[in-house]
Amino acid sequence: MSTLPARAERRCHNAVNPLHSCLFFSPDLGAELGKLGFEDPSAVYFATRAAAFGPVGAGTVTATFYNFNPALVAEHVPAVWSVASPEQVLGARLRAADTTLRRLLGEEIIASDEMAEAARLALRATEACTPHARPLYAAHAELPVPDEPHLAFWHAATLLREHRGDAHLAALLAAGLDPVESLVSHTATGKGMAIRWILSSRGWRRTDWEAASDRLRERGLLVAGEEPALTDAGTALRAEVEEATDRMDRAPYEHLGAEGVERLTELGRAFLFTAASNGAFPSEATGR
């Protein structure tokens, strides 16, 4: 039985993860990867997130990223490694994280005792992360921890995000939700990304989206209509996916303890408020 308050791990994840993922919306990432010769935003994303694996092919990225069209992945991978090596990409990624966090949080927060505390807490949580059946986490766990506290915090946030993300994919698979069905059902919760942005960034066509919607309706998970909306059964299934993800991701937060989780959540929310106020997340990704 968990010693944490209900959904404490999810609340902590929701406070810390955006400080990892904001990098993928940052112009600083495109600028750093542009210096290496990258131009296409999809190539930037695939190279940045997959670099910890080394020079892998499209199959590894398709399997571990889950909801991207395999044709889009194959368009860029393994070609990205002819532009720059994974080591070069990782270096550029860390420079972009540094620039992004300094711009979004400001030098006072970057140099604060609170940032150093957040880094210590997040890294302590990662001590209980496990690599089995978690390929993206395992690859990132082999990377060195940066010396500067704000980058150590970003690194730990990355590990916690990929640890939970790998578990979430297992939960989606167990629920029988394929890549596009996962996107449609998540959007239907009212918490997903804008459909137009999903299709363009994930490489799917509108016909793929409609076919997945039809499959979900046949299963009794989606109501009829143009705008995706879940039935009671669909709502229950998505809740089951999130609860299963929580269970598989609980160990790092149990290790940190209730007090530590509460404090890391508090710090993450404070940082997130400042970052959001400074434009960390574009409206086209989050709007409906």
Side-chain angles (χ1 to χ4, degrees):
M1 179 176 292
S2 175
T3 61
L4 299 175
R7 299 181 180 175
E9 60 282 301
R10 194 186 307 182
R11 288 192 294 273
C12 192
H13 165 78
N14 289 342
V16 172
N17 175 57
L19 295 158
H20 152 79
S21 61
C22 68
L23 178 67
F24 296 106
F25 301 100
S26 171
D28 305 311
L29 181 62
E32 285 292 344
L33 271 290
K35 295 174 185 177
L36 298 179
F38 290 92
E39 297 179 358
D40 188 282
S42 293
V44 169
Y45 179 80
F46 291 136
T48 300
R49 195 158 174 233
F53 283 131
V56 295
T60 299
V61 174
T62 298
T64 55
F65 286 27
Y66 199 77
N67 60 27
F68 287 81
N69 189 329
L72 178 64
V73 177
E75 183 180 336
H76 298 287
V77 181
V80 291
W81 312 127
S82 66
V83 178
S85 69
E87 292 76 17
Q88 289 174 306
V89 172
L90 290 170
R93 182 178 78 166
L94 197 60
R95 291 192 297 273
D98 179 41
T99 303
T100 297
L101 291 177
R102 289 182 186 277
R103 176 170 52 81
L104 295 178
L105 299 178
E107 295 298 330
E108 184 176 347
I109 291 178
I110 291 295
S112 68
D113 291 341
E114 287 78 10
M115 179 58 73
E117 181 185 7
R120 288 195 299 271
L121 290 170
L123 286 170
R124 189 185 307 162
T126 67
E127 293 171 355
C129 291
T130 52
H132 43 271
R134 288 183 167 93
L136 268 168
Y137 162 74
H140 284 84
E142 294 185 339
L143 301 178
V145 180
D147 293 328
E148 294 185 79
H150 69 291
L151 293 179
F153 174 73
W154 185 84
H155 173 77
T158 302
L159 297 184
L160 292 171
R161 184 266 174 273
E162 300 298 8
H163 189 267
R164 184 178 181 85
D166 287 336
H168 188 62
L169 300 190
L172 290 171
L173 192 64
L177 294 171
D178 71 23
V180 189
E181 292 167 356
S182 298
L183 293 168
V184 173
S185 61
H186 184 230
T187 296
T189 66
K191 301 176 182 178
M193 299 172 286
I195 296 174
R196 182 179 301 176
W197 190 83
I198 291 173
L199 295 177
S200 63
S201 65
R202 268 55 180 172
W204 300 106
R205 298 167 299 178
R206 188 75 197 200
T207 52
D208 298 315
W209 184 272
E210 292 169 353
S213 298
D214 287 342
R215 293 193 297 274
L216 292 174
R217 291 189 189 98
E218 290 172 3
R219 292 174 61 184
L221 302 175
L222 203 68
V223 300
E226 291 189 9
E227 287 296 319
L230 295 173
T231 62
D232 289 345
T235 299
L237 183 64
R238 285 300 319 196
E240 180 183 319
V241 166
E242 297 303 327
E243 289 164 5
T245 303
D246 287 344
R247 288 194 300 272
M248 289 185 280
D249 189 45
R250 190 162 289 146
Y253 304 95
E254 291 279 9
H255 179 68
L256 186 56
E259 184 176 343
V261 169
E262 181 179 2
R263 179 57 175 162
L264 181 57
T265 303
E266 177 186 11
L267 291 168
R269 285 174 174 167
F271 298 156
L272 181 57
F273 177 81
T274 300
S277 299
N278 289 323
F281 307 103
S283 59
E284 61 266 26
T286 56
R288 293 298 302 279

